[in-house]
Amino acid sequence: MSARGLLAVNYFSLSQTDAQKALLATTLAGYQRTLEITQNRYTAGIAAKTDVLQAQTQLATAKAEDAGLVRTRAQLEHAIAVLVGDMPAVNGVAPVIEHAAAAGKFEFWPPLEWAAIVTFVAGLLTMGLGSIPQQDVFQRANASKSERIAVWGTVIGGVLYFVFAAVPIYLTYAATLVDPALTASVLAQDAQQVLPAFIKAHLPLYAQIIFYGALLSVIMSTASGTLLAPSVTISENIIKEFMPHHRMSQKKLLWITRSVVVVFTLLVVVYSLWSLQSETSIHTMVANAYKITLACAFVPLVAGLYWKRANNAGAGLSIVLGLTAWIAMEFIAPEAALQPQFVGLLASAAGMIAGSLKPRLFGGRRPLPRHT
């Protein structure tokens, strides 16, 4: 088929897609209204829970169909732009970086406004302090041969994080220049899908296989580390400490570790399903990962390293109070001036001090094990 023929076909397909999308928009509004009515009827005790689930499924199916039409429309727009020679030229890395700089994407510091400054500092402290107890920093430092290697290994690892994280960020921003129509349409639905949609629309099949294969390997590697690291830590440093040493054989410890892995896996699956249902973004889930370590693990780690009076009772109480306060504030006042993770941090510090200075209330003073 000639270029003119392809242009005509794509144009009529685009018109048909727009008509389908307009019709589906009306359908979506109706399904949304039906869901609201059904939920109200269920709250009043008139409708059954199955009616609500059916309405939710109906709406979710329509939303998925709408997302498919959005992607189809973006691909047709891209094809038309190619045929008429209207594709923007992006030659090399420099134009992308220059465009990002002109758009203010490299502005690190927040504007001089109280709300912006508080949000910036809160995010910086959450990610900075919350990442220290996590396995990628803590275990790398503890597995090092010497203090010098521990320091440089952590620094080099942090630099490499920035380097590798810059690659998908660059590709995603480049997509806004190469195919602005596709990017805008996907952003309207889900910003997390920009890079996969761009890869699918512009790269050949073998490159797509490489991309998705690498993505799956990263997900699997992260999942295994996320499950194994805390499971081993809990088994070795918490459960083992409360078990009589003469009854804790290596075989039994291995069985306990496997059981903890299973429990963690179930918890992660439940959280993943809840995140999917509530449409929680990857960014939010990563932020929550830093919040929980900040609220529960940062104080016991620092106190165990630098405070001579820290003990197991203080560490246990610190974890319990930090976790409880953080979760409670997430439900009670998630938008409070003092963010929930910092309330958990303060509660964790209070628990460490109370548990360590009042050992008689918790079964006697038992110092935290110190490894040299």
Side-chain angles (χ1 to χ4, degrees):
M1 186 180 292
S2 65
R4 290 183 179 180
L6 285 174
L7 181 60
V9 170
N10 288 330
Y11 177 77
F12 285 115
S13 298
L14 182 63
S15 300
Q16 183 181 9
T17 302
D18 286 338
Q20 291 176 340
K21 199 171 185 312
L23 179 61
L24 188 58
T26 304
T27 304
L28 276 171
Y31 285 165
Q32 182 66 47
R33 180 59 181 162
T34 300
L35 176 59
E36 293 173 359
I37 294 174
T38 306
Q39 286 177 330
N40 292 335
R41 287 169 57 85
Y42 173 72
T43 303
I46 302 174
K49 181 65 175 178
T50 54
D51 295 336
V52 177
L53 295 176
Q54 183 178 0
Q56 289 175 339
T57 303
Q58 193 176 41
L59 179 61
T61 303
K63 285 184 176 180
E65 185 178 351
D66 182 67
L69 289 176
V70 169
R71 287 191 293 270
T72 300
R73 191 184 194 285
Q75 292 170 356
L76 290 171
E77 283 186 337
H78 173 260
I80 292 173
V82 171
L83 290 170
V84 301
D86 195 29
M87 286 294 295
V90 181
N91 299 317
V93 177
V96 178
I97 295 178
E98 291 172 0
H99 191 280
K105 300 301 181 181
F106 293 110
E107 294 179 0
F108 180 76
W109 301 107
L112 296 178
E113 300 174 358
W114 174 250
I117 293 174
V118 170
T119 302
F120 176 82
V121 173
L124 186 64
L125 291 177
T126 299
M127 297 189 69
L129 301 181
S131 64
I132 293 175
Q134 293 190 356
Q135 69 269 16
D136 50 352
V137 176
F138 176 71
Q139 291 188 356
R140 181 183 293 115
N142 280 272
S144 301
K145 185 178 180 180
S146 64
E147 182 179 353
R148 182 172 179 271
I149 294 176
V151 172
W152 280 105
T154 304
V155 172
I156 294 173
V159 172
L160 290 177
Y161 275 142
F162 279 106
V163 172
F164 285 105
V167 175
I169 294 175
Y170 167 80
L171 292 176
T172 304
Y173 194 83
T176 64
L177 303 181
V178 175
D179 197 344
L182 174 64
T183 305
S185 62
V186 177
L187 280 174
Q189 299 292 325
D190 186 359
Q192 300 173 118
Q193 297 297 324
V194 171
L195 184 56
F198 180 72
I199 296 294
K200 185 177 180 181
H202 290 276
L203 294 188
L205 180 60
Y206 74 89
Q208 294 182 33
I209 294 174
I210 294 174
F211 171 79
Y212 287 111
L215 182 62
L216 286 175
S217 67
V218 170
I219 293 174
M220 294 175 66
S221 174
T222 304
S224 63
T226 303
L227 292 174
L228 292 176
S231 300
V232 172
T233 301
I234 290 176
S235 302
E236 285 278 355
N237 299 99
I238 298 180
I239 298 178
K240 185 179 178 180
E241 290 297 319
F242 288 96
M243 295 288 290
H245 291 284
H246 66 278
R247 296 179 57 186
M248 180 59 70
S249 63
Q250 290 298 318
K251 183 177 181 180
K252 190 170 185 178
L253 180 61
L254 178 60
W255 182 86
I256 291 175
T257 304
R258 289 174 176 174
S259 301
V260 175
V261 170
V262 173
V263 172
F264 260 96
T265 303
L266 294 176
L267 291 175
V268 169
V269 170
V270 171
Y271 178 71
S272 300
L273 293 175
W274 174 83
S275 300
L276 184 63
Q277 182 69 23
S278 60
E279 298 183 354
T280 304
S281 66
I282 292 294
H283 179 270
T284 302
M285 287 190 282
V286 172
N288 287 336
Y290 287 114
K291 288 178 181 179
I292 190 171
T293 51
L294 176 65
C296 303
F298 179 74
V299 170
L301 174 63
V302 174
L305 290 173
Y306 298 107
W307 192 30
K308 293 182 179 180
R309 301 193 65 175
N311 57 30
N312 287 345
L317 188 60
S318 174
I319 293 172
V320 171
L321 290 183
L323 180 63
T324 303
W326 170 58
I327 294 177
M329 288 299 295
E330 286 286 355
F331 284 98
I332 297 172
E335 303 297 332
L338 185 61
Q339 296 187 10
Q341 66 270 25
F342 294 108
V343 176
L345 179 65
L346 294 176
S348 179
M352 173 58 72
I353 295 172
S356 299
L357 296 183
K358 299 291 184 180
R360 293 181 181 178
L361 297 177
F362 304 96
R365 188 177 191 278
R366 187 179 180 186
L368 285 172
R370 299 179 183 275
H371 303 283
T372 57

